[in-house]
Structure formats: structure tokens, C-alpha cells
Amino acid sequence: MTDALPGQAAHVFPADLIWVVTGANQGDGLGLPEDCETGDLYQLERGAEPLRLMLAPAEGGARLAAGSEFGRPGDAVSLRARHVLMAPDGDMIDVLMIVHEPESTLYALPLSPMAPRVDYTLIESLEDPGEVRLADLVCVAFTTGTMITMASGAQRPIESLGPGDRVLTRDSGPQPIRWIGKARLKALGSFAPVVIAAGTLGNEGDLIVSPHHRIFLYQRGEKRLGATAEVLVQAKHLVDGENVWRREGGYVDYYSLVFDRHEIIYAEGIPCESLMVSEKTLELLPEEIAQDLRARFPGLAHAPHFGSEAGREVLDEVARAAIFRSRDRG
């Protein structure tokens, strides 16, 4: 928590609003590891409203900043634990446990959205939450070594790029990079990158991206995943354990590219999205990065790229196999 930034915002739930519906601790709210049992099923209370948490750095920890919806500015808070919950569709959700020290009140900070009245299985509880910052909430990004197609047609590793370099886009031709963001994260749980093996989607090399990064697919024929021929699919929804998998362990350097518009660019030869800038995404970015973007590009608000988004509910094993086979046929 010492790495929290001034004015950094997140949303938390009182921990007792995420409670055991089936299991050894039935009826209890989500607690610290010593009070939890793996295998218990948890639900977020129907109608649960998140509270805004604002943090400011302080010597020896972090403190509440003005704008928090509980406590007083200056109150000490501490990060005590991390839980890993599994949703019914297999997605893993990391939940950080934060204590408001003056009142010894426990709050839960899910790092991915949780839906009310859905069963989540407790998979793991860690007393040491690891090196986690609220900045880790943001990730639509490529990893070190990803080859980006430039305006000239040349391929360059993403870490060699800078603002002003011209990249080939699908819809707007050559476009200059306006901004590049970089973050080093521990490659665990929700932050572990997704590896799309070379050739799976026609990619020339392994494409390694953040789980929420969307891949652009153009579908031919009547059997489509979405309402349009153009569809965006989050990398995590392509995971099948053979062609596409999560790579955990160590650290990962993530790079995000911003253009004047939300663009489709080419990474390892296949189309992927750039970072979409909007008030919604700016609210999730670390405050220092969000302020930098607002100052550099006042009024910049990207319209999302046209196309459907295919979620996990339509990407079953058969659909994923069909996507991979269609790319094999070229």
C-alpha cells in the first residue's frame, strides 16, 4: 500500500457483504485468511453498493484522502491479505482485503467485477498479498518483445517505440503514437498474461497480452459469434489450455499505446486494439497517469471501435476450436 498514489481511487465493499452461502463458514462475511475455508461458496449481497476509497501515501503505509466515503482524511489503512475466488465460468478474481485501522473495519476490493447473487468459490487465501498496487487495476496492454507493425511495414518491438512513431492501423492508415504507458506487475492471478501460441490466429510469433486485451476477428459466413462480422474478443476468453494459456510466475512488463482514436493495430501480425481513452478508463488509471493524459490531450475521449464483443458465454470449446481452425485455413 505504500505505493498508492495521491488521490488514487478505487471502489470497495464492506467485507460482510460478500458472504458464505454454502460451506464450513456459512453465513460469515469474507474475512482474513485464518477465518476462511477454501472451497466455501461466496456471494455478493444483492443490492450491495460499493464505497469510494481514496488513498494518499504516507510514511509507513497509506492513509485515507479527501473524497473517501468512509472514515476521515488521514486515517490509516493497511492491505492485509489477498483471496482468489473462482466464478462459475472459470474466471479467477483477486480480492484484496483492506483494514480501516481506526475502526478495525474490513473492506474487500475485487480486482475484477463481481456480480450479485452469483456463486464464487474460494480457491486460495494469502496472508501476504504480494506487491499489489491500485495501479494494477489497469491493463489493456502488450508485453515486452511484442512486434508491432509500423507505417513502413517494418516490425519493431514495442519497448523500442516512442511518441511520434507511426504505426499501421487497420482503419486509419499510418498514425502517430500519442502516448505510451508502462507498468511492471507480478504475473499472478488476474495479472498473469495470456499467451496466444504462434500460428493460432495467424500470428507470426507468440502474442502475449494482458487478460482483458481484445483481439480483433473478422468473421465470414453466417455462423458468427456476435451481431456483426467484426468482433472483439478478450484474450482471457480464448484460453483453452493448449493453443492459448495463462502464464504465471515472475514479473511482466506491460505496455499500452494511445492514439488520437481507439485503433486496431497489428501485433505479431494480427489485429488488436489500442488503449481506449475515456472518462471510464481514466478513472481506473493511476492518478499520475490520468492527469498526464488529461493535460496532454484535453478533451480526448475515444469512441469505441465498431464491432460486437464476444463474451465467454458464446466462446465455448467448440467456438474457440472453430476460430483457431479458420485461421489455420488462412
Side-chain angles (χ1 to χ4, degrees):
M1 297 287 282
T2 56
D3 290 325
L5 298 167
Q8 178 65 52
H11 286 94
V12 298
F13 293 97
D16 58 4
L17 293 184
I18 302 174
W19 56 283
V20 180
V21 293
T22 303
N25 293 323
Q26 187 166 351
D28 291 351
L30 188 60
L32 297 177
E34 61 267 25
D35 300 319
C36 296
E37 291 287 341
T38 56
D40 280 0
L41 295 182
Y42 285 81
Q43 287 188 2
L44 175 63
E45 183 76 31
R46 176 182 290 175
E49 293 290 339
L51 300 174
R52 176 181 289 271
L53 166 68
M54 299 292 292
L55 290 175
E59 185 176 351
R63 296 187 180 276
L64 293 183
S68 287
E69 293 184 328
F70 60 91
R72 297 180 178 181
D75 284 354
V77 291
S78 60
L79 178 58
R80 293 290 185 86
R82 181 211 292 255
H83 297 298
V84 181
L85 300 175
M86 184 173 69
D89 62 7
D91 272 357
M92 298 297 178
I93 298 176
D94 290 81
V95 180
L96 305 183
M97 303 306 293
I98 296 171
V99 173
H100 176 224
E101 297 291 355
E103 298 180 3
S104 299
T105 306
L106 193 60
Y107 293 90
L109 168 55
L111 297 184
S112 296
M114 291 183 67
R117 302 300 297 273
V118 171
D119 289 344
Y120 295 93
T121 305
L122 180 62
I123 300 299
E124 187 177 19
S125 295
L126 303 170
E127 292 184 1
D128 179 4
E131 297 184 18
V132 177
R133 301 188 308 164
L134 295 179
D136 298 344
L137 291 169
V138 179
C139 254
V140 172
F142 303 98
T143 59
T144 303
T146 301
M147 301 302 288
I148 303 297
T149 302
M150 308 304 293
S152 65
Q155 306 283 311
R156 285 179 55 185
I158 193 166
E159 65 270 20
S160 73
L161 303 182
D165 286 341
R166 294 172 68 81
V167 171
L168 181 64
T169 72
R170 180 181 183 273
D171 303 295
S172 308
Q175 290 295 314
I177 298 171
R178 297 292 299 275
W179 179 86
I180 298 179
K182 178 183 176 182
R184 170 166 287 189
L185 306 179
K186 206 164 189 177
L188 294 174
S190 300
F191 311 126
V194 173
V195 180
I196 302 174
T200 298
L201 296 175
N203 41 313
E204 297 165 3
D206 289 351
L207 177 61
I208 307 173
V209 296
S210 59
H212 295 285
H213 206 130
R214 295 186 298 178
I215 311 301
F216 178 90
L217 301 174
Y218 184 83
Q219 307 169 99
R220 297 179 176 87
E222 296 181 357
K223 294 183 178 180
R224 297 173 177 172
L225 296 177
T228 64
E230 298 180 347
V231 65
L232 292 162
V233 181
Q234 290 186 28
K236 66 178 184 177
H237 294 326
L238 294 172
V239 171
D240 67 349
E242 180 180 354
N243 300 284
V244 184
W245 64 90
R246 298 289 285 268
R247 189 182 71 187
E248 294 208 27
Y251 289 83
V252 58
D253 288 328
Y254 281 126
Y255 295 82
S256 299
L257 301 182
V258 172
F259 298 87
D260 287 325
R261 297 172 52 187
H262 183 219
E263 298 285 4
I264 300 298
I265 64 174
Y266 296 90
E268 298 296 343
I270 63 173
C272 306
E273 69 172 333
S274 65
L275 178 64
M276 183 173 69
V277 177
S278 66
E279 275 306 311
K280 183 176 180 180
T281 56
L282 287 175
E283 287 175 2
L284 293 176
L285 286 165
E287 187 62 25
E288 62 181 9
I289 295 177
Q291 287 180 354
D292 185 35
L293 281 170
R294 288 189 178 102
R296 290 173 183 268
F297 317 117
L300 180 61
H302 290 160
H305 187 278
F306 175 77
S308 304
E309 179 164 0
R312 179 179 288 274
E313 66 277 4
V314 298
L315 277 168
D316 58 14
E317 184 176 350
V318 174
R320 283 193 294 269
I323 291 171
F324 301 155
R325 283 200 304 272
S326 69
R327 294 308 179 275
D328 290 341
R329 292 194 297 267

